[in-house]
Amino acid sequence: MRLHTKQVGKNLYMVELETGGFEHLICSYIITGEHPFLVESGPTSSVPRLLAGLDELNIPFEDVQYIAVTHVHLDHAGGAGTLLKSLPNAKVIVHPRGAPHLADPERLWPSSQSVLGFISGIFGKPEPIPKELLIPMTQGSFDLGDGAKLDVIETVGHASHNLSFYESFNGGVFPGDAAGTYLQTFDVIVPTTPPPFHLEAALTSLDRLISLAPTVLYFSHFGKATEAVKRLKDYKIQLQLWADIAQDGVRKNQSLEQIRDRIIAEDKVMNSIIDFVRSHRIYSKTMLENCVLGFIEYAKQK
Ligand SMILES: [Zn+2]
């Protein structure tokens, strides 16, 4: 029986990282085949879990050549430095704007602590990555073997350093946080837009992903979702709704709480899951505070 990994496509496995004991919060992906590939290192505290996933799939650590990280936030790439210590032949694919933070996490760590509070402790402190092990890029392609490839696509907005990856085994996209947080139990997507969030860039990135006509999305939070194009289009509409409410709220000098309550009242998705979100130790902070704040700060700049 597989304990840590679950097959989610041809040559593709999801690893449930169970960070801090939270299920369905963060996952990494392993692409198997001639050239095994990792997507997302996950946070530092979850590295043993990811290595256990490789073990379970009988992939020798020295066979892994690439770890592609969608962006340098702790939950996606924080563990990359620690992970590399166990993967002697691996390099890290990262956006050029994120690369310096992986090489020297000393600035990223305190800023993550201030944005995330207690959650940063659950993720753990990142270890630095030697510069020669970083591959900074915004576009390009990697051979996965068996005629398949992995394409790098720049999808900024959630962060100025967000990449997505398209894999041709299944025609799926790893959006990182460019397409929101997927709550599999409810089959809904919620915006993930902590400051500094850039709406126009996020919408342009979503158009870029839609133009690839992917069949599935592999969310880092959390899992595989079908009907990819419909979800990406719906997410654009949802972002615009939150932005409109935030902009109107800022104009009327409303508080974060007032704007948040309007979002909950007017966004059908948020409305349908609000009890769950309020009772969740992490989502109650990230979704109901940080993500609303991202829209408010963006509206204030406009
Ligand atoms: Zn994230």
Side-chain angles (χ1 to χ4, degrees):
M1 207 190 93
R2 293 215 159 90
L3 293 171
H4 308 292
T5 60
K6 181 182 164 194
Q7 185 156 17
V8 290
K10 185 188 176 200
N11 286 28
L12 182 62
Y13 293 80
M14 183 185 94
V15 188
E16 157 66 279
L17 296 179
E18 241 183 83
T19 304
F22 289 92
E23 286 186 346
H24 303 168
L25 184 69
I26 308 173
C27 59
S28 293
Y29 292 91
I30 301 173
I31 303 174
T32 62
E34 239 177 281
H35 306 298
F37 222 99
L38 298 185
V39 180
E40 310 283 48
S41 69
T44 309
S45 62
S46 301
V47 167
R49 206 41 201 247
L50 181 50
L51 293 171
L54 282 170
D55 261 339
E56 200 166 274
L57 299 175
N58 294 315
I59 298 172
F61 291 175
E62 53 274 17
D63 283 9
V64 179
Q65 284 179 29
Y66 298 108
I67 307 160
V69 298
T70 59
H71 59 302
V72 304
H73 290 164
L74 297 186
D75 44 336
H76 300 257
T82 308
L83 185 62
L84 282 172
K85 290 181 169 171
S86 298
L87 307 179
N89 298 313
K91 292 188 175 183
V92 178
I93 298 161
V94 61
H95 193 287
R97 277 191 212 108
H101 296 289
L102 294 189
D104 177 13
E106 283 311 311
R107 261 187 31 231
L108 181 69
W109 177 240
S111 73
S112 304
Q113 284 178 305
S114 83
V115 174
L116 293 170
F118 73 96
I119 301 170
S120 60
I122 294 174
F123 292 164
K125 191 177 175 186
E127 294 189 78
I129 297 176
K131 273 205 184 80
E132 62 274 17
L133 297 184
L134 294 169
I135 308 176
M137 61 194 296
T138 56
Q139 54 179 337
S141 215
F142 291 84
D143 180 17
L144 296 172
D146 304 321
K149 63 190 174 91
L150 184 113
D151 294 326
V152 177
I153 305 130
E154 187 180 39
T155 49
V156 298
H158 165 80
S160 63
H161 45 83
N162 199 107
L163 297 174
S164 294
F165 307 104
Y166 175 90
E167 58 82 27
S168 69
F169 277 124
N170 306 280
V173 159
F174 304 92
D177 284 345
T181 292
Y182 178 51
L183 298 177
Q184 215 162 31
T185 321
F186 302 94
D187 194 29
V188 297
I189 289 172
V190 178
T192 176
T193 53
F197 170 65
H198 195 295
L199 177 69
E200 274 81 14
L203 295 174
T204 304
S205 295
L206 286 162
D207 283 334
R208 194 169 286 168
L209 294 181
I210 290 167
S211 74
L212 301 171
T215 53
V216 278
L217 297 168
Y218 311 114
F219 287 92
S220 309
H221 320 289
F222 177 97
K224 170 184 161 178
T226 54
E227 295 180 281
V229 170
K230 182 184 184 305
R231 288 183 201 274
L232 293 168
K233 287 181 177 168
D234 286 350
Y235 188 54
K236 282 182 67 183
I237 296 169
Q238 194 183 22
L239 287 182
Q240 194 63 62
L241 173 69
W242 284 43
D244 290 346
I245 295 169
Q247 222 149 19
D248 186 60
V250 166
R251 223 177 289 131
K252 292 176 177 156
N253 252 324
Q254 291 179 328
S255 65
L256 183 142
E257 289 72 21
Q258 285 172 309
I259 292 172
R260 180 194 62 204
D261 290 347
R262 276 183 64 191
I263 288 172
I264 295 166
E266 291 179 40
D267 180 359
K268 278 198 218 96
V269 168
M270 274 314 270
N271 202 283
S272 68
I273 56 166
I274 190 59
D275 292 341
F276 166 76
V277 175
R278 281 213 174 101
S279 66
H280 196 286
R281 246 180 94 217
I282 291 188
Y283 291 151
S284 57
K285 170 157 175 59
T286 55
M287 287 179 185
L288 297 178
E289 288 178 30
N290 297 7
C291 294
V292 176
L293 189 63
F295 279 97
I296 292 173
E297 291 198 357
Y298 180 72
K300 279 184 180 163
Q301 275 170 25
K302 290 215 76 174

